[in-house]
Amino acid sequence: MEKNNKTVTTDFILLGLWPEFSHLVILIFLILLVYLMAVIGNAVLILLIWLDSRLHCPMYFLLSQLSLIDVALISTTVPKMATNFFSGKRTISQIGCGSQILFSLTLGISECLLLTLMSYDRYIAICNPLRYSVMMSHTICKQMVIGSWVGGAITSLVHTAYVMHLPICHPREIPHFLCEVMALLKLTCEDISAYVNSVVVSSFLVVLIPLSLILASYIRIFLAVVHMNSPEGKNKALATCFSHLCVVSLYFGPAVLVYMRPGSFKTPKINQSLFMFNAILTPMLNPLIYSLRNKDVIAAMKSIVISRCFLKKVKHHRACYT
């Protein structure tokens, strides 16, 4: 009996999203609505890029990978958060917690790298168009995407393995709606100052350096666009670049604030707000930004809708005459 009484649980307790919020049910339903819109929006964008031959180019191939990452990213957090809320069980196993950290970090870092590659694609297309087909061939694009996934997976694997092996000496309660590296570090009693410094260095490598490269690319792009003679080409280039910069600001802004702001400002409420924006709202906004401002995507959507309507009419007429 003594052995049974001394059984130690390895599960963590997720305290959830703003537990003191009085209208939490409404908030959860809104988040589920956002989740549904994000999944449908990104799935439609991937389907359009796959079906329409006009979108079979490097820019849209990279965009389809961004949508794939967004669907996976929002799916690592929202289903578990909603399940915990409606079931009343706030626990997550140690394996589940480690998996959530691994997948969210992999997807987040891969998205940083992918957005950098997308800015490089636009830079080559606008500033060096004659060599675009060589420098951004389908093979090179696939290698870039694989590199972004592998880079994200390796970096996240290192951080996850280190964090999950730390001994926990505080109550296993995480003041968050997901398992997250910085939240878990607060539960350990070991000296983690060296690791915290490594997190800052890692954040610099996967956040600030890509952001700097993106900004440098767009400075060169804007200088090239200013000297364009064609107003139509200038407007198309600016529209595409504006969409990409909107997505960059939506993603990199919260990421910089989460990992690089002073420790005194790292309160659980602020962290939850930033993660909710980054991991939940941004995946929903990305397909809206690209589809609403992108004439090629709108044209592809219209052509597919028209072709489906035409096929229905043909089937209807055949049915009438048989």
Side-chain angles (χ1 to χ4, degrees):
M1 291 293 291
E2 276 186 39
K3 289 182 180 178
N4 292 335
N5 290 336
K6 291 182 180 179
T7 301
V8 178
T9 179
T10 58
D11 291 350
F12 293 96
I13 298 173
L14 294 172
L15 298 182
L17 183 65
W18 305 321
E20 73 283 355
F21 190 64
S22 56
H23 302 290
L24 199 56
V25 177
I26 298 173
L27 181 61
I28 295 296
F29 275 110
L30 287 175
I31 290 173
L32 287 174
L33 179 62
V34 168
Y35 175 70
L36 184 63
M37 291 174 63
V39 171
I40 293 173
N42 284 290
V44 167
L45 196 55
I46 293 170
L47 190 63
L48 284 174
I49 293 170
W50 181 56
L51 290 176
D52 198 298
S53 59
R54 290 172 296 181
L55 304 182
H56 293 174
C57 63
M59 182 179 80
Y60 292 108
F61 173 70
L62 295 175
L63 180 57
S64 68
Q65 293 299 309
L66 180 67
S67 290
L68 182 62
I69 289 175
D70 282 338
V71 170
L73 182 62
I74 196 171
S75 297
T76 60
T77 56
V78 172
K80 178 61 179 174
M81 178 177 64
T83 301
N84 283 5
F85 177 78
F86 288 113
S87 67
K89 297 178 181 179
R90 299 181 296 175
T91 58
I92 184 170
S93 67
Q94 190 163 359
I95 294 175
C97 187
S99 300
Q100 198 172 57
I101 292 175
L102 179 65
F103 286 120
S104 60
L105 275 180
T106 297
L107 295 165
I109 295 169
S110 298
E111 186 155 353
C112 281
L113 299 176
L114 187 64
L115 288 171
T116 309
L117 295 176
M118 291 175 72
S119 70
Y120 174 75
D121 169 74
R122 291 301 83 207
Y123 166 73
I124 298 298
I126 295 171
C127 299
N128 204 349
L130 296 178
R131 298 190 61 194
Y132 181 77
S133 59
V134 177
M135 299 178 72
M136 291 299 296
S137 66
H138 186 65
T139 303
I140 292 174
C141 281
K142 286 172 68 175
Q143 291 172 349
M144 287 178 169
V145 169
I146 292 170
S148 66
W149 280 96
V150 171
I154 292 174
T155 307
S156 65
L157 185 61
V158 171
H159 284 292
T160 305
Y162 181 83
V163 170
M164 295 309 294
H165 96 282
L166 291 171
I168 304 298
C169 57
H170 295 286
R172 304 174 73 88
E173 296 180 348
I174 302 173
H176 219 311
F177 60 87
L178 79 161
C179 279
E180 188 259 326
V181 170
M182 303 307 288
L184 252 66
L185 291 178
K186 295 178 180 178
L187 304 182
T188 184
C189 47
E190 283 195 358
D191 181 16
I192 55 169
S193 55
Y195 176 71
V196 171
N197 291 332
S198 74
V199 171
V200 173
V201 173
S202 179
S203 301
F204 178 80
L205 292 175
V206 301
V207 176
L208 283 188
I209 290 180
L211 181 59
S212 301
L213 292 173
I214 291 170
L215 295 177
S217 297
Y218 278 101
I219 289 172
R220 295 288 300 273
I221 289 171
F222 286 133
L223 291 175
V225 169
V226 168
H227 295 92
M228 281 184 177
N229 295 322
S230 169
E232 185 179 350
K234 184 183 293 188
N235 291 334
K236 185 176 180 180
L238 287 174
T240 304
C241 293
F242 179 78
S243 298
H244 188 205
L245 282 175
C246 284
V247 173
V248 167
S249 61
L250 286 172
Y251 184 78
F252 278 91
V256 170
L257 291 174
V258 166
Y259 293 106
M260 296 187 177
R261 71 187 191 276
S264 58
F265 292 96
K266 292 184 178 180
T267 62
K269 287 184 180 180
I270 295 176
N271 276 346
Q272 287 186 26
S273 302
L274 292 171
F275 267 94
M276 186 174 70
F277 190 88
N278 208 346
I280 298 176
L281 289 179
T282 301
M284 180 202 70
L285 294 173
N286 284 355
L288 294 177
I289 291 171
Y290 277 110
S291 60
L292 291 177
R293 293 193 58 85
N294 195 305
K295 293 180 180 179
D296 293 336
V297 173
I298 294 173
M301 196 179 299
K302 287 180 179 178
S303 65
I304 289 175
V305 170
I306 291 171
S307 63
R308 286 185 64 84
C309 291
F310 177 75
L311 288 173
K312 284 183 179 180
K313 286 183 179 180
V314 169
K315 288 180 180 178
H316 177 72
H317 284 296
R318 284 180 179 174
C320 289
Y321 290 102
T322 55

